[in-house]
Amino acid sequence: MSYTANLTENRRIAIANRGNQTTISLTSSNVGQQQSQTTGFTTGSWQSLPQLYQLGTNFVLKINSDRNSYYLLIQAHGISTIPAPDLNNAVEVDLQKSEDSTTIPHKIEFEPMAPMPPMQPMKMGNMSMDLNSMSMKMGNMSLNMNDSQTSTSTKHFCSQCGQKAKISDRFCSSCGYQLDR
């Protein structure tokens, strides 16, 4: 047998009994986040339906089994056994029988995440990077990954020895290597 109840708008409990074991699952959900906690107790076989009571912000689950009566305190961050509490001021919470008695349901619908806004250009001193246009500038040098623009260097160097060359030079003045055009 399995039973469920909504504790709050975003918090749900599922209770199941399999043989001598009682399993309690708490599921909390917010937009884009879900947390689940499952705890098992050896209670014996249930002799009657479990009863759930609300005491302020906490809940108490009463289980009558073939061994004893058990009381479980359900708080925001945990589940623990407690001695029989005073339930005179408690409000009973309706438990709904689950269709599938072999599993504890955890189905919670999520909203899709919104796309991130474009990154703003980053600047540090005389250096700037813009990931949207894939460009980087530092001083008088620039690197641009945009296909519509090509970057040209104003300085020329020999590919053989690395010596600086004038744009009009056909051969390197240092090593004589023929310069590329």
mmCIF file with all atom_site columns, all heavy atoms in Angstrom, residues 9-26:
data_model
loop_
_atom_site.group_PDB
_atom_site.id
_atom_site.type_symbol
_atom_site.label_atom_id
_atom_site.label_alt_id
_atom_site.label_comp_id
_atom_site.label_asym_id
_atom_site.label_entity_id
_atom_site.label_seq_id
_atom_site.pdbx_PDB_ins_code
_atom_site.Cartn_x
_atom_site.Cartn_y
_atom_site.Cartn_z
_atom_site.occupancy
_atom_site.B_iso_or_equiv
_atom_site.pdbx_formal_charge
_atom_site.auth_seq_id
_atom_site.auth_comp_id
_atom_site.auth_asym_id
_atom_site.auth_atom_id
_atom_site.pdbx_PDB_model_num
ATOM 1   N N   . GLU A 1 9  ? 2.511  23.764 -0.870 1.00 0.00 ? 9  GLU A N   1
ATOM 2   C CA  . GLU A 1 9  ? 2.400  23.892 -2.327 1.00 0.00 ? 9  GLU A CA  1
ATOM 3   C C   . GLU A 1 9  ? 3.571  23.227 -3.050 1.00 0.00 ? 9  GLU A C   1
ATOM 4   O O   . GLU A 1 9  ? 3.407  22.648 -4.109 1.00 0.00 ? 9  GLU A O   1
ATOM 5   C CB  . GLU A 1 9  ? 2.344  25.377 -2.697 1.00 0.00 ? 9  GLU A CB  1
ATOM 6   C CG  . GLU A 1 9  ? 2.162  25.630 -4.168 1.00 0.00 ? 9  GLU A CG  1
ATOM 7   C CD  . GLU A 1 9  ? 2.084  27.105 -4.480 1.00 0.00 ? 9  GLU A CD  1
ATOM 8   O OE1 . GLU A 1 9  ? 1.483  27.850 -3.695 1.00 0.00 ? 9  GLU A OE1 1
ATOM 9   O OE2 . GLU A 1 9  ? 2.645  27.500 -5.525 1.00 0.00 ? 9  GLU A OE2 1
ATOM 10  N N   . ASN A 1 10 ? 4.763  23.279 -2.450 1.00 0.00 ? 10 ASN A N   1
ATOM 11  C CA  . ASN A 1 10 ? 5.964  22.755 -3.096 1.00 0.00 ? 10 ASN A CA  1
ATOM 12  C C   . ASN A 1 10 ? 6.525  21.514 -2.401 1.00 0.00 ? 10 ASN A C   1
ATOM 13  O O   . ASN A 1 10 ? 7.632  21.088 -2.719 1.00 0.00 ? 10 ASN A O   1
ATOM 14  C CB  . ASN A 1 10 ? 7.059  23.824 -3.135 1.00 0.00 ? 10 ASN A CB  1
ATOM 15  C CG  . ASN A 1 10 ? 6.643  25.030 -3.915 1.00 0.00 ? 10 ASN A CG  1
ATOM 16  O OD1 . ASN A 1 10 ? 5.897  24.926 -4.886 1.00 0.00 ? 10 ASN A OD1 1
ATOM 17  N ND2 . ASN A 1 10 ? 7.097  26.197 -3.498 1.00 0.00 ? 10 ASN A ND2 1
ATOM 18  N N   . ARG A 1 11 ? 5.812  20.952 -1.439 1.00 0.00 ? 11 ARG A N   1
ATOM 19  C CA  . ARG A 1 11 ? 6.333  19.831 -0.675 1.00 0.00 ? 11 ARG A CA  1
ATOM 20  C C   . ARG A 1 11 ? 5.314  18.704 -0.633 1.00 0.00 ? 11 ARG A C   1
ATOM 21  O O   . ARG A 1 11 ? 4.139  18.931 -0.355 1.00 0.00 ? 11 ARG A O   1
ATOM 22  C CB  . ARG A 1 11 ? 6.620  20.315 0.745  1.00 0.00 ? 11 ARG A CB  1
ATOM 23  C CG  . ARG A 1 11 ? 7.699  19.565 1.404  1.00 0.00 ? 11 ARG A CG  1
ATOM 24  C CD  . ARG A 1 11 ? 8.238  20.362 2.583  1.00 0.00 ? 11 ARG A CD  1
ATOM 25  N NE  . ARG A 1 11 ? 8.791  19.410 3.490  1.00 0.00 ? 11 ARG A NE  1
ATOM 26  C CZ  . ARG A 1 11 ? 8.579  19.373 4.772  1.00 0.00 ? 11 ARG A CZ  1
ATOM 27  N NH1 . ARG A 1 11 ? 7.841  20.273 5.335  1.00 0.00 ? 11 ARG A NH1 1
ATOM 28  N NH2 . ARG A 1 11 ? 9.119  18.433 5.498  1.00 0.00 ? 11 ARG A NH2 1
ATOM 29  N N   . ARG A 1 12 ? 5.793  17.486 -0.903 1.00 0.00 ? 12 ARG A N   1
ATOM 30  C CA  . ARG A 1 12 ? 4.908  16.329 -1.004 1.00 0.00 ? 12 ARG A CA  1
ATOM 31  C C   . ARG A 1 12 ? 5.496  15.167 -0.206 1.00 0.00 ? 12 ARG A C   1
ATOM 32  O O   . ARG A 1 12 ? 6.702  14.992 -0.117 1.00 0.00 ? 12 ARG A O   1
ATOM 33  C CB  . ARG A 1 12 ? 4.781  15.950 -2.477 1.00 0.00 ? 12 ARG A CB  1
ATOM 34  C CG  . ARG A 1 12 ? 3.791  14.871 -2.775 1.00 0.00 ? 12 ARG A CG  1
ATOM 35  C CD  . ARG A 1 12 ? 3.591  14.785 -4.300 1.00 0.00 ? 12 ARG A CD  1
ATOM 36  N NE  . ARG A 1 12 ? 2.642  13.780 -4.643 1.00 0.00 ? 12 ARG A NE  1
ATOM 37  C CZ  . ARG A 1 12 ? 1.339  13.929 -4.601 1.00 0.00 ? 12 ARG A CZ  1
ATOM 38  N NH1 . ARG A 1 12 ? 0.828  15.072 -4.229 1.00 0.00 ? 12 ARG A NH1 1
ATOM 39  N NH2 . ARG A 1 12 ? 0.530  12.954 -4.932 1.00 0.00 ? 12 ARG A NH2 1
ATOM 40  N N   . ILE A 1 13 ? 4.613  14.351 0.377  1.00 0.00 ? 13 ILE A N   1
ATOM 41  C CA  . ILE A 1 13 ? 5.041  13.162 1.120  1.00 0.00 ? 13 ILE A CA  1
ATOM 42  C C   . ILE A 1 13 ? 4.425  11.934 0.461  1.00 0.00 ? 13 ILE A C   1
ATOM 43  O O   . ILE A 1 13 ? 3.305  11.986 -0.048 1.00 0.00 ? 13 ILE A O   1
ATOM 44  C CB  . ILE A 1 13 ? 4.628  13.246 2.609  1.00 0.00 ? 13 ILE A CB  1
ATOM 45  C CG1 . ILE A 1 13 ? 5.237  12.081 3.400  1.00 0.00 ? 13 ILE A CG1 1
ATOM 46  C CG2 . ILE A 1 13 ? 3.114  13.292 2.762  1.00 0.00 ? 13 ILE A CG2 1
ATOM 47  C CD1 . ILE A 1 13 ? 5.084  12.233 4.901  1.00 0.00 ? 13 ILE A CD1 1
ATOM 48  N N   . ALA A 1 14 ? 5.178  10.853 0.457  1.00 0.00 ? 14 ALA A N   1
ATOM 49  C CA  . ALA A 1 14 ? 4.686  9.556  -0.014 1.00 0.00 ? 14 ALA A CA  1
ATOM 50  C C   . ALA A 1 14 ? 5.061  8.529  1.049  1.00 0.00 ? 14 ALA A C   1
ATOM 51  O O   . ALA A 1 14 ? 6.186  8.514  1.549  1.00 0.00 ? 14 ALA A O   1
ATOM 52  C CB  . ALA A 1 14 ? 5.301  9.197  -1.356 1.00 0.00 ? 14 ALA A CB  1
ATOM 53  N N   . ILE A 1 15 ? 4.093  7.683  1.401  1.00 0.00 ? 15 ILE A N   1
ATOM 54  C CA  . ILE A 1 15 ? 4.279  6.698  2.468  1.00 0.00 ? 15 ILE A CA  1
ATOM 55  C C   . ILE A 1 15 ? 3.911  5.329  1.910  1.00 0.00 ? 15 ILE A C   1
ATOM 56  O O   . ILE A 1 15 ? 2.861  5.175  1.282  1.00 0.00 ? 15 ILE A O   1
ATOM 57  C CB  . ILE A 1 15 ? 3.360  7.012  3.670  1.00 0.00 ? 15 ILE A CB  1
ATOM 58  C CG1 . ILE A 1 15 ? 3.528  8.472  4.095  1.00 0.00 ? 15 ILE A CG1 1
ATOM 59  C CG2 . ILE A 1 15 ? 3.628  6.065  4.831  1.00 0.00 ? 15 ILE A CG2 1
ATOM 60  C CD1 . ILE A 1 15 ? 2.332  9.041  4.784  1.00 0.00 ? 15 ILE A CD1 1
ATOM 61  N N   . ALA A 1 16 ? 4.783  4.337  2.121  1.00 0.00 ? 16 ALA A N   1
ATOM 62  C CA  . ALA A 1 16 ? 4.518  2.988  1.610  1.00 0.00 ? 16 ALA A CA  1
ATOM 63  C C   . ALA A 1 16 ? 4.896  1.962  2.664  1.00 0.00 ? 16 ALA A C   1
ATOM 64  O O   . ALA A 1 16 ? 5.796  2.184  3.476  1.00 0.00 ? 16 ALA A O   1
ATOM 65  C CB  . ALA A 1 16 ? 5.300  2.746  0.327  1.00 0.00 ? 16 ALA A CB  1
ATOM 66  N N   . ASN A 1 17 ? 4.200  0.819  2.640  1.00 0.00 ? 17 ASN A N   1
ATOM 67  C CA  . ASN A 1 17 ? 4.509  -0.287 3.537  1.00 0.00 ? 17 ASN A CA  1
ATOM 68  C C   . ASN A 1 17 ? 4.741  -1.531 2.699  1.00 0.00 ? 17 ASN A C   1
ATOM 69  O O   . ASN A 1 17 ? 3.883  -1.932 1.924  1.00 0.00 ? 17 ASN A O   1
ATOM 70  C CB  . ASN A 1 17 ? 3.358  -0.515 4.529  1.00 0.00 ? 17 ASN A CB  1
ATOM 71  C CG  . ASN A 1 17 ? 3.672  -1.611 5.526  1.00 0.00 ? 17 ASN A CG  1
ATOM 72  O OD1 . ASN A 1 17 ? 3.009  -2.631 5.559  1.00 0.00 ? 17 ASN A OD1 1
ATOM 73  N ND2 . ASN A 1 17 ? 4.690  -1.400 6.340  1.00 0.00 ? 17 ASN A ND2 1
ATOM 74  N N   . ARG A 1 18 ? 5.946  -2.097 2.829  1.00 0.00 ? 18 ARG A N   1
ATOM 75  C CA  . ARG A 1 18 ? 6.298  -3.338 2.130  1.00 0.00 ? 18 ARG A CA  1
ATOM 76  C C   . ARG A 1 18 ? 6.810  -4.307 3.177  1.00 0.00 ? 18 ARG A C   1
ATOM 77  O O   . ARG A 1 18 ? 7.907  -4.142 3.690  1.00 0.00 ? 18 ARG A O   1
ATOM 78  C CB  . ARG A 1 18 ? 7.357  -3.064 1.072  1.00 0.00 ? 18 ARG A CB  1
ATOM 79  C CG  . ARG A 1 18 ? 6.845  -2.193 -0.054 1.00 0.00 ? 18 ARG A CG  1
ATOM 80  C CD  . ARG A 1 18 ? 7.935  -1.963 -1.104 1.00 0.00 ? 18 ARG A CD  1
ATOM 81  N NE  . ARG A 1 18 ? 7.532  -0.907 -2.002 1.00 0.00 ? 18 ARG A NE  1
ATOM 82  C CZ  . ARG A 1 18 ? 7.945  0.351  -1.933 1.00 0.00 ? 18 ARG A CZ  1
ATOM 83  N NH1 . ARG A 1 18 ? 8.790  0.717  -1.004 1.00 0.00 ? 18 ARG A NH1 1
ATOM 84  N NH2 . ARG A 1 18 ? 7.527  1.247  -2.800 1.00 0.00 ? 18 ARG A NH2 1
ATOM 85  N N   . GLY A 1 19 ? 6.000  -5.289 3.490  1.00 0.00 ? 19 GLY A N   1
ATOM 86  C CA  . GLY A 1 19 ? 6.393  -6.250 4.527  1.00 0.00 ? 19 GLY A CA  1
ATOM 87  C C   . GLY A 1 19 ? 6.455  -5.564 5.874  1.00 0.00 ? 19 GLY A C   1
ATOM 88  O O   . GLY A 1 19 ? 5.485  -4.975 6.335  1.00 0.00 ? 19 GLY A O   1
ATOM 89  N N   . ASN A 1 20 ? 7.615  -5.596 6.510  1.00 0.00 ? 20 ASN A N   1
ATOM 90  C CA  . ASN A 1 20 ? 7.803  -4.959 7.814  1.00 0.00 ? 20 ASN A CA  1
ATOM 91  C C   . ASN A 1 20 ? 8.351  -3.545 7.709  1.00 0.00 ? 20 ASN A C   1
ATOM 92  O O   . ASN A 1 20 ? 8.572  -2.892 8.725  1.00 0.00 ? 20 ASN A O   1
ATOM 93  C CB  . ASN A 1 20 ? 8.748  -5.798 8.680  1.00 0.00 ? 20 ASN A CB  1
ATOM 94  C CG  . ASN A 1 20 ? 8.113  -7.103 9.106  1.00 0.00 ? 20 ASN A CG  1
ATOM 95  O OD1 . ASN A 1 20 ? 6.901  -7.168 9.289  1.00 0.00 ? 20 ASN A OD1 1
ATOM 96  N ND2 . ASN A 1 20 ? 8.924  -8.139 9.265  1.00 0.00 ? 20 ASN A ND2 1
ATOM 97  N N   . GLN A 1 21 ? 8.633  -3.097 6.494  1.00 0.00 ? 21 GLN A N   1
ATOM 98  C CA  . GLN A 1 21 ? 9.307  -1.824 6.281  1.00 0.00 ? 21 GLN A CA  1
ATOM 99  C C   . GLN A 1 21 ? 8.321  -0.738 5.844  1.00 0.00 ? 21 GLN A C   1
ATOM 100 O O   . GLN A 1 21 ? 7.543  -0.918 4.909  1.00 0.00 ? 21 GLN A O   1
ATOM 101 C CB  . GLN A 1 21 ? 10.390 -1.995 5.201  1.00 0.00 ? 21 GLN A CB  1
ATOM 102 C CG  . GLN A 1 21 ? 11.354 -0.862 5.082  1.00 0.00 ? 21 GLN A CG  1
ATOM 103 C CD  . GLN A 1 21 ? 12.369 -0.819 6.217  1.00 0.00 ? 21 GLN A CD  1
ATOM 104 O OE1 . GLN A 1 21 ? 12.496 -1.755 6.993  1.00 0.00 ? 21 GLN A OE1 1
ATOM 105 N NE2 . GLN A 1 21 ? 13.074 0.275  6.312  1.00 0.00 ? 21 GLN A NE2 1
ATOM 106 N N   . THR A 1 22 ? 8.370  0.421  6.513  1.00 0.00 ? 22 THR A N   1
ATOM 107 C CA  . THR A 1 22 ? 7.623  1.607  6.108  1.00 0.00 ? 22 THR A CA  1
ATOM 108 C C   . THR A 1 22 ? 8.621  2.589  5.515  1.00 0.00 ? 22 THR A C   1
ATOM 109 O O   . THR A 1 22 ? 9.640  2.897  6.137  1.00 0.00 ? 22 THR A O   1
ATOM 110 C CB  . THR A 1 22 ? 6.894  2.257  7.298  1.00 0.00 ? 22 THR A CB  1
ATOM 111 O OG1 . THR A 1 22 ? 5.914  1.327  7.772  1.00 0.00 ? 22 THR A OG1 1
ATOM 112 C CG2 . THR A 1 22 ? 6.207  3.545  6.892  1.00 0.00 ? 22 THR A CG2 1
ATOM 113 N N   . THR A 1 23 ? 8.331  3.051  4.300  1.00 0.00 ? 23 THR A N   1
ATOM 114 C CA  . THR A 1 23 ? 9.206  3.988  3.599  1.00 0.00 ? 23 THR A CA  1
ATOM 115 C C   . THR A 1 23 ? 8.488  5.316  3.456  1.00 0.00 ? 23 THR A C   1
ATOM 116 O O   . THR A 1 23 ? 7.335  5.364  3.022  1.00 0.00 ? 23 THR A O   1
ATOM 117 C CB  . THR A 1 23 ? 9.580  3.448  2.208  1.00 0.00 ? 23 THR A CB  1
ATOM 118 O OG1 . THR A 1 23 ? 10.146 2.143  2.366  1.00 0.00 ? 23 THR A OG1 1
ATOM 119 C CG2 . THR A 1 23 ? 10.577 4.340  1.518  1.00 0.00 ? 23 THR A CG2 1
ATOM 120 N N   . ILE A 1 24 ? 9.179  6.397  3.820  1.00 0.00 ? 24 ILE A N   1
ATOM 121 C CA  . ILE A 1 24 ? 8.621  7.741  3.726  1.00 0.00 ? 24 ILE A CA  1
ATOM 122 C C   . ILE A 1 24 ? 9.528  8.559  2.821  1.00 0.00 ? 24 ILE A C   1
ATOM 123 O O   . ILE A 1 24 ? 10.745 8.626  3.042  1.00 0.00 ? 24 ILE A O   1
ATOM 124 C CB  . ILE A 1 24 ? 8.524  8.403  5.111  1.00 0.00 ? 24 ILE A CB  1
ATOM 125 C CG1 . ILE A 1 24 ? 7.663  7.538  6.029  1.00 0.00 ? 24 ILE A CG1 1
ATOM 126 C CG2 . ILE A 1 24 ? 7.965  9.814  5.000  1.00 0.00 ? 24 ILE A CG2 1
ATOM 127 C CD1 . ILE A 1 24 ? 7.725  7.954  7.474  1.00 0.00 ? 24 ILE A CD1 1
ATOM 128 N N   . SER A 1 25 ? 8.937  9.171  1.791  1.00 0.00 ? 25 SER A N   1
ATOM 129 C CA  . SER A 1 25 ? 9.698  10.028 0.878  1.00 0.00 ? 25 SER A CA  1
ATOM 130 C C   . SER A 1 25 ? 9.128  11.433 0.931  1.00 0.00 ? 25 SER A C   1
ATOM 131 O O   . SER A 1 25 ? 7.922  11.627 0.821  1.00 0.00 ? 25 SER A O   1
ATOM 132 C CB  . SER A 1 25 ? 9.621  9.516  -0.551 1.00 0.00 ? 25 SER A CB  1
ATOM 133 O OG  . SER A 1 25 ? 10.328 8.318  -0.684 1.00 0.00 ? 25 SER A OG  1
ATOM 134 N N   . LEU A 1 26 ? 10.019 12.403 1.117  1.00 0.00 ? 26 LEU A N   1
ATOM 135 C CA  . LEU A 1 26 ? 9.658  13.821 1.067  1.00 0.00 ? 26 LEU A CA  1
ATOM 136 C C   . LEU A 1 26 ? 10.263 14.404 -0.194 1.00 0.00 ? 26 LEU A C   1
ATOM 137 O O   . LEU A 1 26 ? 11.453 14.208 -0.461 1.00 0.00 ? 26 LEU A O   1
ATOM 138 C CB  . LEU A 1 26 ? 10.205 14.566 2.279  1.00 0.00 ? 26 LEU A CB  1
ATOM 139 C CG  . LEU A 1 26 ? 9.567  14.263 3.618  1.00 0.00 ? 26 LEU A CG  1
ATOM 140 C CD1 . LEU A 1 26 ? 10.317 14.977 4.725  1.00 0.00 ? 26 LEU A CD1 1
ATOM 141 C CD2 . LEU A 1 26 ? 8.119  14.705 3.605  1.00 0.00 ? 26 LEU A CD2 1
#
